[in-house]
């Protein structure tokens, strides 16, 4: 028996006891307990070699188990910098270690892609929010301006209709005044005809009176001339009155058309105002432009906060 | 005491030790014994601080024990002192060992050979922490000062110690 000098005062052990110790350690390891190692079982070179061989096997298996569990746990927690150390691992241990290391490398890349996608989503949400905010503010401003313009136009149309109606009244009055003038002229005409007849009689009577009635005959002739002129003037006045009445008729027709157009315009303007404000004249469930912009902003906010989760 | 001689180990090797909950060594593998120049009899039953190098800042050990108490793993670049005065750098992975009831029954450390670039970066930071510690004559205030400095160095980079270690490790692709 070759005794080796280094270390220890391990007693000689029967071969059976040495094998039993190796068996106990291997059984523990097989049961998942890697804390046991083979103690000195003899001083022979073979005994030492057998002991070192079993312990080395346990050491590398122990290291592999500790590494693999911790490396995967780290990857699951997102600590991707913690890899599986392949150094010191050989053969199948090394191949498996490299596989685990590569897997956590791929998990790291996946996590990075997911993170990038999340960042892109957040950026998109920011951009969407800012764009919608701007648009809805602009729509709200435009709605306010359109509402106030529509209200101004409606007021303007009401005023125009009022003015046109006033004009219609004035022209109607002008027409009835013309009728009165016509009656007055008719009366004048009748008086002039009567006067001409009287002048004729006066001329006949003056002729019968001879020399004494000559002066009176001149007067009667003058009166006749006057009545004729009066009659001619009346005809002229009647022609003028007819022209005025005709013009007044045209004016009434035009004013009625203008009033109808303005009333139609007023109705259209009310439609615009309702679309903008969602006013009382709006259809059931129809919101105004400003409300729609507010609803849009609310929906986008909801969407954006979901995207940010 | 430190001889300034650096010792390394193979890339395929792992240094493994186990301790009880008090930090007393209960197991050391063959690689540990070789690089630490210790026999099994010299190592087992001794506190793990047996291989503590004077250039290791106290703040890093505080971080180690804080993590283990929180039942968390810790990766750290550590320089250890062999019994013959040589030193060796490791990338240590320290984890609590749990029994079937989830109770901590001890601690386990697996250590790999680190890359030169990572060692140089760790050495730079540890040098500053040690210089700060040397300015204090009692252990408590030395630890407080070096802890504060470590936190502020990490804060400047917006990192945790874990992230610092893994940045060095992933950059040198261990």
């Amino acid at each position: 028996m070759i005794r080796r000098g280094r270390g220890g005062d391990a007693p000689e052990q029967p071969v059976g006891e040495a094998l039993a110790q190796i068996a106990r350690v291997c059984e523990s390891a097989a049961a998942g307990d890697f804390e046991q190692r083979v103690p000195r079982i003899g001083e022979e070179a073979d005994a030492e070699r057998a002991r070192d061989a079993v312990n080395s096997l346990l050491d590398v298996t122990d290291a592999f188990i500790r590494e693999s569990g911790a490396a995967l746990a780290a990857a699951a927690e997102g600590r991707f910098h913690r890899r599986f150390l392949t150094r010191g691992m050989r053969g199948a241990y090394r191949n498996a270690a490299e596989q685990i290391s590569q897997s956590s490398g791929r998990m790291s890349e996946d996590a990075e892609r997911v993170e990038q996608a999340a960042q892109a989503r957040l950026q998109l949400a920011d951009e969407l929010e800012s764009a919608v905010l701007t648009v809805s503010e602009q729509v709200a401003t435009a709605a306010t301006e359109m509402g106030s313009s529509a209200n101004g136009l409606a007021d303007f149309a009401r005023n125009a209709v009022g003015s046109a109606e006033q004009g219609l009244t004035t022209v109607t009055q002008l027409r009835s005044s013309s009728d009165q003038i016509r009656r007055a002229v008719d009366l004048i005409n009748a008086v002039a005809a009567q006067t001409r007849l009287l002048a004729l009689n006066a001329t006949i009577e003056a002729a019968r009176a001879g020399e004494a009635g000559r002066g009176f005959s001149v007067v009667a002739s003058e009166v006749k001339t006057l009545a004729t002129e009066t009659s001619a003037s009346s005809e002229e006045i009647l022609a003028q009155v007819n022209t005025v009445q005709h013009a007044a008729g045209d004016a009434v027709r035009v004013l009625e058309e203008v009033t109808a157009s303005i009333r139609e315009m007023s109705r259209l303007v009310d439609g615009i105002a309702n679309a903008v404000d969602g006013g009382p004249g709006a259809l059931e469930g129809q919101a105004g432009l400003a409300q729609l912009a507010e609803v849009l902003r609310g929906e986008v906010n909801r969407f954006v906060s979901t995207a940010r989760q | 005491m430190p001889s300034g001689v650096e010792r390394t180990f193979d890339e395929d090797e792992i240094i493994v030790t186990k301790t009880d909950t008090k930090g007393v060594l209960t197991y050391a593998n063959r690689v540990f014994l070789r690089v630490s120049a210790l026999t099994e009899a010299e190592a087992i039953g001794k506190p793990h601080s047996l291989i503590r190098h004077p250039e290791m800042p106290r703040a890093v050990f505080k971080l180690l024990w804080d993590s283990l108490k929180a039942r968390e793993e810790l990766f750290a670049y550590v320089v250890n002192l062999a019994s013959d005065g040589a030193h060796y750098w490791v990338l240590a992975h320290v984890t609590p060992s749990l029994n079937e009831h989830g109770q901590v029954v001890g601690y386990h450390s697996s250590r790999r050979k680190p890359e030169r670039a990572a060692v140089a970066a760790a050495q730079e930071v540890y040098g500053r922490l040690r210089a700060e510690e040397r300015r204090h004559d009692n252990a408590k205030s030395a630890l407080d000062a070096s802890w504060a400095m470590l936190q502020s160095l990490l804060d400047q980079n917006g990192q945790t110690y874990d992230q610092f270690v893994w940045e060095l490790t992933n950059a040198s692709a261990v």
Side-chain angles (χ1 to χ4, degrees):
Chain A
M1 188 176 289
I2 301 162
R3 300 184 70 93
R4 298 181 64 177
R6 64 186 164 101
D9 47 354
E12 289 285 328
Q13 290 184 53
V15 170
E17 178 55 27
L19 291 178
Q21 278 188 304
I22 291 174
R24 272 197 295 276
V25 170
C26 290
E27 281 160 6
S28 291
D33 175 6
F34 282 89
E35 293 311 297
Q36 312 306 318
R37 294 293 185 274
V38 179
R40 291 196 79 173
I41 50 173
E43 298 189 358
E44 301 88 345
D46 285 347
E48 283 288 274
R49 193 177 154 207
R51 177 196 178 205
D52 281 349
V54 172
N55 285 346
S56 293
L57 172 62
L58 292 172
D59 284 347
V60 72
T61 309
D62 196 357
F64 185 89
I65 291 168
R66 286 170 195 270
E67 275 281 318
S68 55
L72 288 174
E77 288 167 14
R79 289 186 291 116
F80 295 111
H81 58 268
R82 194 256 188 255
R83 296 288 175 83
F84 196 127
L85 287 177
T86 54
R87 178 163 289 181
M89 297 285 151
R90 288 182 289 170
Y93 288 107
R94 187 177 196 93
N95 292 342
E98 277 169 353
Q99 269 182 341
I100 291 175
S101 212
Q102 281 163 10
S103 300
S104 76
R106 276 195 293 274
M107 281 167 78
S108 165
E109 286 161 17
D110 288 349
E112 205 167 307
R113 273 197 293 276
V114 168
E115 174 62 22
Q116 277 170 358
Q119 286 300 331
R121 199 180 58 190
L122 284 182
Q123 198 186 338
L124 216 61
D126 285 349
E127 283 170 9
L128 178 65
E129 185 183 43
S130 137
V132 166
L133 201 68
T134 307
V135 167
S136 69
E137 272 169 8
Q138 283 171 351
V139 167
T141 307
T144 308
E145 277 174 18
M146 278 171 77
S148 97
S149 294
N151 287 337
L153 269 175
D155 287 347
F156 174 77
R158 266 192 297 280
N159 289 343
V161 167
S163 299
E165 278 168 350
Q166 226 174 346
L168 210 56
T169 312
T170 306
V171 172
T172 308
Q173 279 170 354
L174 184 65
R175 225 174 167 177
S176 80
S177 298
S178 306
D179 280 344
Q180 283 172 355
I181 292 172
R182 183 196 288 275
R183 279 194 295 278
V185 169
D186 283 347
L187 191 65
I188 291 170
N189 252 349
V191 170
Q194 199 75 33
T195 306
R196 245 196 332 268
L197 201 59
L198 280 174
L200 185 62
N201 287 339
T203 306
I204 293 167
E205 290 300 324
R208 209 181 280 165
E211 196 62 28
R214 193 166 293 157
F216 192 72
S217 166
V218 171
V219 171
S221 169
E222 283 299 314
V223 168
K224 189 188 153 197
T225 304
L226 217 75
T228 305
E229 277 176 10
T230 301
S231 194
S233 290
S234 296
E235 286 307 316
E236 218 170 296
I237 289 170
L238 268 182
Q240 292 293 334
V241 167
N242 278 340
T243 305
V244 165
Q245 279 197 317
H246 195 71
D250 283 349
V252 166
R253 208 171 43 254
V254 168
L255 280 172
E256 275 170 355
E257 275 172 16
V258 167
T259 308
S261 293
I262 291 174
R263 285 216 172 92
E264 175 63 15
M265 187 183 85
S266 185
R267 207 176 56 74
L268 293 175
V269 167
D270 283 347
I272 292 173
N274 288 340
V276 171
D277 297 337
L283 292 175
E284 190 66 30
Q286 186 187 356
L289 210 54
Q291 280 165 281
L292 285 175
E294 199 49 50
V295 168
L296 177 66
R297 197 163 64 173
E299 285 302 308
V300 168
N301 272 341
R302 212 158 59 83
F303 172 77
V304 161
S305 30
T306 307
R308 281 183 182 139
Q309 280 166 4
Chain B
M1 285 307 97
S3 61
V5 174
E6 179 162 20
R7 184 166 293 146
T8 58
F9 53 105
D10 200 84
E11 280 189 14
D12 284 342
E13 291 182 313
I14 307 180
I15 294 174
V16 180
T17 52
K18 286 180 179 290
T19 71
D20 63 14
T21 53
K22 295 188 178 69
V24 173
L25 285 161
T26 55
Y27 171 72
N29 74 346
R30 199 57 69 193
V31 188
F32 175 85
L33 296 175
R34 189 185 77 230
V35 296
S36 305
L38 291 167
T39 65
E40 201 165 358
E42 285 167 337
I44 304 305
K46 301 283 164 39
H48 212 292
S49 55
L50 181 68
I51 53 159
R52 177 179 285 199
H53 194 285
E55 282 309 304
M56 269 308 286
R58 294 167 191 274
V60 176
F61 288 112
K62 173 175 162 53
L63 202 62
L64 171 67
W65 285 109
D66 286 353
S67 301
L68 292 179
K69 276 177 202 154
R71 302 162 73 98
E72 285 167 4
E73 63 174 356
L74 182 84
F75 284 91
Y77 283 96
V78 177
V79 61
N80 287 326
L81 182 64
S83 72
D84 59 1
H87 65 270
Y88 58 96
W89 279 91
V90 298
L91 170 56
H93 177 215
V94 189
T95 46
S97 298
L98 309 178
N99 67 10
E100 57 194 307
H101 306 297
Q103 292 160 325
V104 176
V105 294
Y107 302 111
H108 176 103
S109 176
S110 300
R111 307 162 182 101
R112 270 91 164 180
K113 185 187 178 188
E115 288 293 319
R116 284 321 314 174
V119 167
Q123 216 164 3
E124 203 269 326
V125 172
Y126 291 179
R128 292 169 69 179
L129 295 174
R130 278 296 298 150
E132 179 63 26
E133 286 176 12
R134 276 195 293 272
R135 292 178 53 242
H136 299 264
D137 44 18
N138 75 74
K140 174 78 173 73
S141 62
L143 173 58
D144 289 347
S146 117
W147 180 255
M149 185 182 228
L150 176 60
Q151 294 309 318
S152 91
L153 287 175
L154 292 170
D155 286 349
Q156 274 170 26
N157 291 327
Q159 284 180 321
T160 61
Y161 182 80
D162 190 51
Q163 287 169 329
F164 165 70
V165 167
W166 278 100
E167 188 181 71
L168 297 181
T169 306
N170 290 334
S172 54
V174 170

